[in-house]
Amino acid sequence: MHHPLLRHPIRIQELTHVTDNPAATDDVAVSLRARINTSRPHTARIWNYWLGGKDNYEVDREAGDQIRRLHPGIGEYARADRLFLGRAVRHLVGEVGIRQFLDIGTGLPTADNTHEVAQRIAPETRVVYVDNDPLVLAHARALLTSTPEGRTDYLDEDLRNVDAILEHAASTLDFSEPVALMLLGVVIFIGDDEDPYGLVRQLTDRLPKGSHLVLSHTVTHPAMPDVDEAVTFWNEHGTPRLTQRTPKDVVRFFDGLDLLEPGVVSCSRWRPEHGHGAEPEEVAMFGGVARTR
């Protein structure tokens, strides 16, 4: 999730409806290209680079390599966060019975997106993705590979615009039934002066009982001082700005909810699938899953 760039949200249907009109499609493509800034590194594209994707530019790769030199383990955060997503979604679909997901801060499509993980278990699952990065929108059709039984939709909107998100998502999701709200690596872009806790609470308060929040956030950690150095570098050279928080601060996002075991922990240690092996190494990306009351 990134700074609001759109004055009017675009739903993916508006793009698919113009695919038979070459002139209209060209207009959309030109509009998207105009919004993509390749002169400065961007978090979604760097994340894509760390995950081995190809949807990035030289400026992103250079910044990504510099951040990795400052903090060699940063690539593991991206992978740990993606694996955490998979385990959380599988639990919510397979064990809890959730069939609806609102994924805000989608990022660029990679392997095992939310709908892919969920629909492998329950093909009827419905997913609404939300992001406001123009490069993500340009690749949005790659996300729309829903099973015939389910549905996948995309909304170009900013996390801060709660009313708009819920209004548009309601055309795909049934808000009288439980919904899983996915906020992975996104509230780090909401500054302390923007009331990030109130923003998350606005969303969870409007979900029905039995819904779940899945949230992850990079953390400032005494054992990992180079994380703060990497964040400082990013805030000097990249966009949008990041706001680091402590593990205790991340726990606050779950206030008023019932946290699932093992609570808010390193994403690598949230119900790891390692059998009886050693505990996974801790990374400075913490996450948790909680149920609404």
Side-chain angles (χ1 to χ4, degrees), residues 41-57:
H42 200 288
T43 52
R45 301 192 306 249
I46 291 177
W47 203 257
N48 176 265
Y49 171 53
W50 285 334
L51 286 171
K54 299 179 180 179
D55 298 312
N56 49 74
Y57 297 93

Side-chain angles (χ1 to χ4, degrees), residues 3 25 31 37 42 54 56 59 61 83-84 86 93 110 115 130 162 166-167 176 179 215 227 254 279 281 286-287 292:
H3 289 305
T25 302
S31 175
N37 182 355
H42 200 288
K54 299 179 180 179
N56 49 74
V59 65
R61 294 187 286 274
L83 292 173
F84 167 63
V93 176
T110 57
H115 76 282
V130 183
V162 172
L166 296 178
E167 177 185 351
S176 68
V179 175
L215 182 146
V227 176
F254 297 92
E279 186 175 42
E281 184 175 351
F286 276 45
T292 62

Side-chain angles (χ1 to χ4, degrees), residues 131-154:
D131 207 300
N132 70 347
D133 184 296
L135 193 61
V136 173
L137 182 59
H139 290 81
R141 275 179 290 178
L143 294 172
L144 294 179
T145 54
S146 175
T147 57
E149 303 92 334
R151 186 173 173 187
T152 306
D153 197 5
Y154 182 87

Side-chain angles (χ1 to χ4, degrees), residues 37-289:
N37 182 355
T38 61
S39 66
R40 296 191 69 186
H42 200 288
T43 52
R45 301 192 306 249
I46 291 177
W47 203 257
N48 176 265
Y49 171 53
W50 285 334
L51 286 171
K54 299 179 180 179
D55 298 312
N56 49 74
Y57 297 93
E58 183 63 28
V59 65
D60 306 307
R61 294 187 286 274
E62 289 177 355
D65 289 340
Q66 177 63 24
I67 292 171
R68 191 148 41 192
R69 282 191 288 272
L70 293 170
H71 184 59
I74 194 71
E76 292 303 317
Y77 298 3
R79 286 184 284 273
D81 192 54
R82 177 59 52 162
L83 292 173
F84 167 63
L85 179 151
R87 295 195 301 274
V89 170
R90 285 193 293 273
H91 171 77
L92 293 175
V93 176
E95 303 299 324
V96 180
I98 295 289
R99 294 295 182 268
Q100 304 186 106
F101 289 81
L102 178 59
D103 188 333
I104 304 178
T106 303
L108 288 162
T110 57
D112 285 340
N113 300 291
T114 298
H115 76 282
E116 295 171 322
V117 177
Q119 290 179 350
R120 284 190 202 116
I121 302 170
E124 70 276 17
T125 301
R126 288 171 286 173
V127 179
V128 173
Y129 290 106
V130 183
D131 207 300
N132 70 347
D133 184 296
L135 193 61
V136 173
L137 182 59
H139 290 81
R141 275 179 290 178
L143 294 172
L144 294 179
T145 54
S146 175
T147 57
E149 303 92 334
R151 186 173 173 187
T152 306
D153 197 5
Y154 182 87
L155 174 63
D156 190 0
E157 192 47 278
D158 189 271
L159 169 61
R160 299 164 181 84
N161 301 329
V162 172
D163 290 342
I165 289 174
L166 296 178
E167 177 185 351
H168 287 283
S171 65
T172 300
L173 306 178
D174 178 1
F175 283 101
S176 68
E177 297 293 331
V179 175
L181 171 63
M182 312 289 287
L183 296 175
L184 298 184
V186 58
V187 291
I188 190 173
F189 300 115
I190 306 297
D192 289 332
D193 60 339
E194 298 178 278
D195 189 18
Y197 299 102
L199 191 59
V200 172
R201 190 61 181 262
Q202 284 183 54
L203 285 161
T204 56
D205 280 353
R206 293 171 66 176
L207 298 179
K209 182 179 180 180
S211 294
H212 286 70
L213 169 65
V214 182
L215 182 146
S216 67
H217 196 301
T218 56
V219 296
T220 179
H221 197 298
M224 305 173 187
D226 47 354
V227 176
D228 295 331
E229 187 178 359
V231 169
T232 298
F233 171 84
W234 172 258
N235 285 339
E236 291 173 351
H237 300 279
T239 182
R241 288 183 60 83
L242 310 180
T243 298
Q244 280 285 77
R245 297 183 172 96
T246 66
K248 186 177 180 180
D249 292 334
V250 178
V251 173
R252 283 185 57 199
F253 285 108
F254 297 92
D255 284 355
L257 306 178
D258 295 323
L259 267 169
L260 277 58
E261 293 293 338
V264 177
V265 296
S266 168
C267 284
S268 58
R269 295 181 176 179
W270 194 90
R271 305 192 179 191
E273 298 167 345
H274 57 67
H276 300 289
E279 186 175 42
E281 184 175 351
E282 189 175 52
V283 299
M285 174 72 76
F286 276 45
V289 180

